[in-house]
Amino acid sequence: MAHTDQTDHTMRRVLRREIAGTIGLLTDEHDFRAMRRYRSFTFHDHAAYLRQVEALLRTRAAQGTHTTIALFDPEEYAAFCTAAGLDADAPATRARFTAELAAHGPTVPYEGQSLADLLPALVDEAVRQATWEYTSTLLATLGSCATCGEDLGRAAFTRAHRLLHRVLETAPPGSRHLVCSVKGHPAETLLAVLLVEEESDGTPQIDEAEALEFTSVLALGLATHSPGGLVMRISRPNGPDRIHGWRLRGYGLEPLTAAEVFDAYCTDVESGDLISPESNVDYCAPPDLGDDRLPPGHHH
């Protein structure tokens, strides 16, 4: 009998390593305070809470258990409980909400990094997902072209994908860091970032989620003819970094001159004062995108 109990215990321990887990993390003090209104949430200090989470993550990793971190939003949690008719002041409900986050919300895997490194990555993932959802919703509501009947959002996304491909295809070798900004409402600017590393054979290594968000932001700027721009920084092992830029113009990208790129990087956005240029950086006109220029005619 004792042998059977020991065997069962061992098997359960092995099975625990096969179960992936998700922790819904309260990343900032404001969200932490919001959760303290629930009596079943027994933590009192955010810093101590983060220390306990980090210790739990290290323990699970040492046991060979995979853990995903999700961004826990108290407002979304309250709305979830109301919609599902669940008691918000119950650990089981929080666990159920966390499971929903694992399936649909922003998450990052725990790979032994400190929370100081993990938290910004989680927030960035949340911003990226929110940007993608926002831009895709706006693109979907643009409707069809009155002239040709084509779906405007889908056409703009296809156009943006083609432009991004040409930008990367014509870029000099090196690691490429791209930023696309599109001005929306008066107080709102959408930003998307794409980091493209190179394999040893020169093949670009691209994160699909980042590329999707980047393309959707660029597509929204093209479709709505909003002010915006695209900047690309190229870093190489030997030699200075190169910075290129384009402005969104009409249904395409208009190259900035070297002087315009310099002015954009060396001028404080808020005050308009000059900023000292970076050392070991060249501000350059971008490569010609070549055959991606649109022919005359209808372009929505």
Side-chain angles (χ1 to χ4, degrees), residues 139-179:
L139 288 170
T141 60
L142 292 177
S144 301
C145 176
T147 301
C148 67
E150 186 174 11
D151 184 282
L152 293 173
R154 186 178 298 112
F157 191 89
T158 300
R159 172 69 176 154
H161 181 272
R162 173 63 181 167
L163 284 170
L164 176 58
H165 175 75
R166 289 297 298 160
V167 166
L168 296 176
E169 190 177 52
T170 59
S175 297
R176 281 151 279 182
H177 183 266
L178 293 88
V179 178

Side-chain angles (χ1 to χ4, degrees), residues 175-198:
S175 297
R176 281 151 279 182
H177 183 266
L178 293 88
V179 178
C180 181
S181 61
V182 172
K183 188 170 178 59
H185 299 297
E188 176 187 45
T189 297
L190 291 173
L191 285 173
V193 177
L194 179 62
L195 180 62
V196 182
E197 300 287 358
E198 276 192 345

Side-chain angles (χ1 to χ4, degrees), residues 19-269:
I19 301 173
T22 303
I23 294 176
L25 187 62
L26 297 160
T27 59
D28 62 53
E29 185 74 37
H30 175 77
D31 287 347
F32 181 82
R33 286 198 302 270
M35 290 302 295
R36 290 196 60 198
R37 69 176 179 266
Y38 301 117
R39 295 180 62 184
S40 61
F41 186 81
T42 57
F43 295 95
H44 301 290
D45 179 77
H46 188 234
Y49 160 82
L50 292 178
R51 286 195 299 271
Q52 292 298 322
V53 169
E54 189 160 20
L56 176 60
L57 289 171
R58 287 198 300 267
T59 299
R60 287 176 58 84
Q63 294 170 345
T65 304
H66 176 78
T67 309
T68 298
I69 313 300
L71 188 67
F72 196 105
D73 185 301
E75 291 185 6
E76 291 182 4
Y77 173 65
F80 167 82
C81 294
T82 300
L86 298 172
D87 178 12
D89 197 358
T93 306
R94 290 196 290 275
R96 183 168 171 177
F97 176 67
T98 300
E100 292 285 331
L101 292 177
H104 307 292
T107 62
V108 296
Y110 177 69
E111 298 173 331
Q113 68 271 53
S114 67
L115 277 188
D117 293 328
L118 189 148
L119 292 181
L122 180 58
V123 172
D124 286 348
E125 180 62 27
V127 171
R128 181 161 60 239
Q129 182 167 320
T131 300
W132 156 244
E133 291 174 353
Y134 176 73
T135 54
S136 59
T137 298
L138 290 182
L139 288 170
T141 60
L142 292 177
S144 301
C145 176
T147 301
C148 67
E150 186 174 11
D151 184 282
L152 293 173
R154 186 178 298 112
F157 191 89
T158 300
R159 172 69 176 154
H161 181 272
R162 173 63 181 167
L163 284 170
L164 176 58
H165 175 75
R166 289 297 298 160
V167 166
L168 296 176
E169 190 177 52
T170 59
S175 297
R176 281 151 279 182
H177 183 266
L178 293 88
V179 178
C180 181
S181 61
V182 172
K183 188 170 178 59
H185 299 297
E188 176 187 45
T189 297
L190 291 173
L191 285 173
V193 177
L194 179 62
L195 180 62
V196 182
E197 300 287 358
E198 276 192 345
E199 302 284 2
S200 56
D201 61 356
T203 303
Q205 183 181 358
I206 302 176
D207 183 285
E208 291 186 6
E210 284 187 6
L212 193 63
E213 180 209 4
F214 192 95
T215 305
S216 67
V217 170
L218 178 56
L220 186 64
L222 295 173
T224 58
H225 298 274
S226 300
L230 191 159
V231 174
M232 176 173 60
R233 183 174 188 137
I234 302 170
S235 301
R236 299 169 293 174
N238 300 312
D241 285 5
R242 295 169 60 92
I243 297 178
H244 307 286
W246 297 261
R247 65 171 59 88
L248 272 63
R249 181 62 59 87
Y251 208 51
L253 296 174
E254 180 180 276
L256 299 178
T257 65
E260 287 173 324
V261 175
F262 179 89
D263 288 343
Y265 259 80
C266 300
T267 303
D268 185 275
V269 176

